[in-house]
Amino acid sequence: MAERLVTVFGGSGFVGRHLVRKLVEQGWRVRVAVRDAEGAKFLKPLGDLGQVSCVTANVTHQESIRRAVAGAEVVINLVGILYERGRRTFKAIHTDAAAAIARAAREAGASQFIQMSALGAAKDSPSAYARSKAEGEEQVRAAFPGATIFRPSVIFGTEDGFYNLFGAMARAFPVLPYFTTDAPALRKGANGLPEIDFYGRGGMKLQPVYVGDVTSAMVATLTDAGLRGKTYELGGPQVYSMREVLQQVSFETRRNRCVVPVPMIVAKIQALVLQFLPVPPLTPDMVRQMERDNVVTGTLPGLEAFGIVPEHTSAHLPAYLERFRPLHRQIRRMGNKHT
């Protein structure tokens, strides 16, 4: 299988580097198509000499895409953005570029195409991000009818941008806020008397899925024709509210931070300002996403279709959130002295 080629667009990102590693282990020759080929060379040692190559590709330029997919048996598109800047709009990247890559893959004679979308992708979503993902799926299927589409929930793992972000916040701030639409509020208590509910339902619901499970599912489609051509929703074994996610982070970082609810209107006001930062932590579109839960619907196949038992966050969070604990290096050194 060493001569079989797979092109991975966006292969230097969080999910991409895990996927490249799995593809290499399966004996594939991997061409990583990224904007900065030089910066992606850290992937080359994952394989044997020449097994991983990095090429410069701009997903908004058709000729660049054609060069990247030439000779590939499989093409995988992982490219996505969380906020818009200039010409890099959700439509340009999630819809138009996805369609262009799928079209080029078909014209190049690729036998398989995999598109990574997102859980919650829907053409009627209030979020432009989610709408563009749904439109991208539609365009990909039109360009490459046998495409396989994955819709993961929030993906966690050692280098993720989700739990690590909150770990950094726990280290820097005395409280961890979550945004909610139903708290604080006055509700009838168990005794029938009115009482203040400070927490509500705990903010939006999430179903974090392990990066290793996501990439294992993708790789499985390469060898099992029965798994191809479908849309999958990938979620982990447990649904969490944002409040529960932050409580996890508080515990694993040993920071004992107070997790507090903040009305959604505050998020909307903050987003109006923060959206102009070079890398905005919050935008109006992100706020609209937070107003809907991010869990599997149960109407589409998931990890069970691959025989994958999803990994729990507790199996991985302690290892990579440890670095946010107080004096963790000093504690480790002291422990070593006594062993």
Side-chain angles (χ1 to χ4, degrees), residues 156 160 162-173 175-177 206 208 240-259 313 317-318 320-326:
F156 73 91
D160 70 45
F162 185 70
Y163 278 102
N164 279 297
L165 170 63
F166 294 126
M169 288 175 61
R171 182 169 58 188
F173 304 113
V175 299
L176 292 174
L206 305 165
Y240 298 96
S241 67
M242 274 304 302
R243 182 187 180 206
E244 291 169 328
V245 165
L246 295 178
Q247 287 172 331
Q248 277 187 305
V249 171
S250 178
F251 174 77
E252 296 297 350
T253 60
R254 304 297 190 264
R255 295 283 176 173
N256 298 317
R257 298 310 190 203
C258 185
V259 178
T313 54
L317 292 186
Y320 70 90
L321 291 186
E322 180 192 15
R323 67 193 182 98
F324 298 108
R325 295 177 183 177

Side-chain angles (χ1 to χ4, degrees), residues 5-8 29-33 51 53 55 67-72:
L5 173 66
V6 54
T7 294
V8 182
R29 187 159 59 91
V30 184
R31 178 187 294 154
V32 182
Q51 191 176 4
S53 61
V55 298
R67 289 195 298 268
V69 302

Side-chain angles (χ1 to χ4, degrees), residues 88-138:
R88 289 179 63 79
T89 64
F90 292 140
K91 182 179 183 301
I93 302 301
H94 296 159
T95 304
D96 298 342
I101 295 170
R103 191 180 310 113
R106 188 198 67 221
E107 293 171 353
S111 62
Q112 294 184 59
F113 186 86
I114 294 175
Q115 169 74 11
M116 189 168 82
S117 184
L119 198 59
K123 296 183 74 173
D124 64 347
S125 173
S127 161
Y129 172 90
R131 291 196 303 272
S132 69
K133 284 289 190 178
E135 290 163 1
E137 292 180 7
E138 189 176 88

Side-chain angles (χ1 to χ4, degrees), residues 1-22:
M1 187 185 286
E3 293 306 310
R4 300 174 69 185
L5 173 66
V6 54
T7 294
V8 182
F9 285 85
S12 63
F14 165 51
V15 176
R17 63 190 69 181
H18 285 267
L19 180 60
V20 169
R21 183 179 294 112
K22 276 195 168 65

Side-chain angles (χ1 to χ4, degrees), residues 2 25 46 91 171 188 195 198 281 296 300 336:
E25 290 170 355
L46 294 178
K91 182 179 183 301
R171 182 169 58 188
K188 184 182 291 187
E195 60 183 35
F198 289 100
V296 301
L300 293 171
N336 289 341

